Amino acid sequence: MVPKTVDIREITRALYNYSLFGIGIPSPISKQGMLSHIEEAEAQSSNWNSFELEFAIGTALSAYVFNFMRGEERKPYLERMILHIENAYRLSKNRQWDVFSFITQEPQLHIALTLGILLVREAPIRDLNKAINYLDPIYRTTTTYEPAFCYYAEALYMRGAYLDAARLATAIHQRAQADPKWKSLNAPMGIAASAYRAEAKRCKRAGRLEEAVESFRQLMQTGMGTTNDQKLLDNLSDHLSKQ
């Protein structure tokens, strides 16, 4: 158990440092040692009601899963990760960073974006509706690009809302183009292309050939179309012209 006299800021900082191990930095601690540290903090977290500690526990669990867990064994740890990060989100309202003062976004915004990414990216705990609920208000009340917005478009794509996903991804791309930091980013248009392709194929299967042609045209306009996409567009256009 973590003694109550221990400096919570030091515990929080140590746990957050584990998150660095998931991006190419080798972990200096064993699997069991890392888990023990996390569980000690978990056992005491409710006594402190610190959003930064909850966030640090969640990110440490994410790093633990990345480094040591595979397959189905990942799910319970990911569930714990989300629980702590959602606790951090609730506790962070009207709060400011202390330990993580290097994070430039205000706490609840940063944590919401993190949750949106995780709830789309991590298949064992995927919850598209919840992810969209975190990301949509931020998207609608901002004009800048955030990498998490691509996961919003991915969530729409996964739900089969292909045209909505394509339009959102295109709008996200336009935001990125307006920011010198992200100007060369192509990821949003890759999502748009995939969404238009899926919509075109769905329309083709349903016999809605004019809609399929329009979706293929939109796909080619993204600049991400393939030779095969162009071939399918040409064949469908030729077929319609002969009717």
Side-chain angles (χ1 to χ4, degrees):
M1 302 286 285
V2 178
K4 285 298 295 293
T5 55
V6 172
D7 186 346
I8 186 176
R9 298 178 82 257
E10 290 303 315
I11 296 171
T12 301
R13 187 176 293 109
L15 287 170
Y16 188 75
N17 285 341
Y18 287 146
S19 67
L20 301 177
F21 307 150
I23 55 175
I25 300 175
S27 174
I29 194 169
S30 68
K31 174 181 178 179
Q32 188 54 49
M34 185 173 180
L35 184 59
S36 294
H37 285 187
I38 293 169
E39 290 181 339
E40 287 170 0
E42 280 186 301
Q44 291 293 321
S45 60
S46 62
N47 295 329
W48 281 307
N49 285 322
S50 163
F51 81 90
E52 287 187 293
L53 178 61
E54 292 284 353
F55 187 62
I57 292 171
T59 57
L61 281 165
S62 177
Y64 179 78
V65 169
F66 182 90
N67 280 279
F68 299 118
M69 298 284 101
R70 296 295 179 269
E72 289 298 316
E73 65 183 356
R74 299 170 68 242
K75 184 175 181 179
Y77 295 94
L78 290 171
E79 289 174 337
R80 285 161 60 183
M81 171 197 73
I82 285 294
L83 176 64
H84 285 289
I85 299 178
E86 288 193 319
N87 285 342
Y89 176 81
R90 286 189 288 271
L91 291 169
S92 65
K93 186 176 181 179
N94 299 323
R95 301 285 299 280
Q96 295 300 317
W97 297 113
D98 176 18
V99 178
F100 305 144
S101 58
F102 54 87
I103 299 177
T104 57
Q105 294 167 324
E106 63 94 9
Q108 199 160 56
L109 170 63
H110 182 83
I111 297 168
L113 291 170
T114 300
L115 285 165
I117 292 172
L118 293 169
L119 289 166
V120 176
R121 187 183 70 192
E122 299 293 348
I125 55 163
R126 183 170 291 147
D127 188 327
L128 300 180
N129 290 337
K130 188 180 283 189
I132 290 170
N133 287 339
Y134 280 117
L135 296 174
D136 181 71
I138 301 172
Y139 177 78
R140 292 182 183 277
T141 56
T142 59
T143 58
T144 56
Y145 172 80
E146 292 289 346
F149 293 155
C150 288
Y151 287 89
Y152 182 6
E154 288 277 10
L156 293 175
Y157 175 87
M158 290 177 183
R159 285 171 55 170
Y162 299 134
L163 291 180
D164 288 342
R167 290 163 185 155
L168 176 63
T170 301
I172 292 168
H173 178 72
Q174 291 169 349
R175 290 192 184 193
Q177 290 291 292
D179 186 337
K181 179 181 177 182
W182 301 105
K183 192 173 180 63
S184 62
L185 184 73
N186 288 322
M189 293 313 289
I191 299 169
S194 295
Y196 279 127
R197 184 180 295 114
E199 178 66 13
K201 291 181 177 179
R202 178 162 64 185
C203 290
K204 183 174 180 290
R205 288 193 300 269
R208 305 199 308 270
L209 300 187
E210 291 183 358
E211 294 176 52
V213 165
E214 180 57 26
S215 290
F216 272 124
R217 284 176 179 161
Q218 294 281 356
L219 163 58
M220 297 310 297
Q221 289 174 13
T222 67
M224 306 291 285
T226 66
T227 302
N228 188 59
D229 292 326
Q230 184 64 58
K231 181 179 178 181
L232 290 170
L233 171 57
D234 292 341
N235 289 342
L236 279 174
S237 298
D238 289 343
H239 180 75
L240 281 174
S241 68
K242 293 174 182 176
Q243 287 185 343

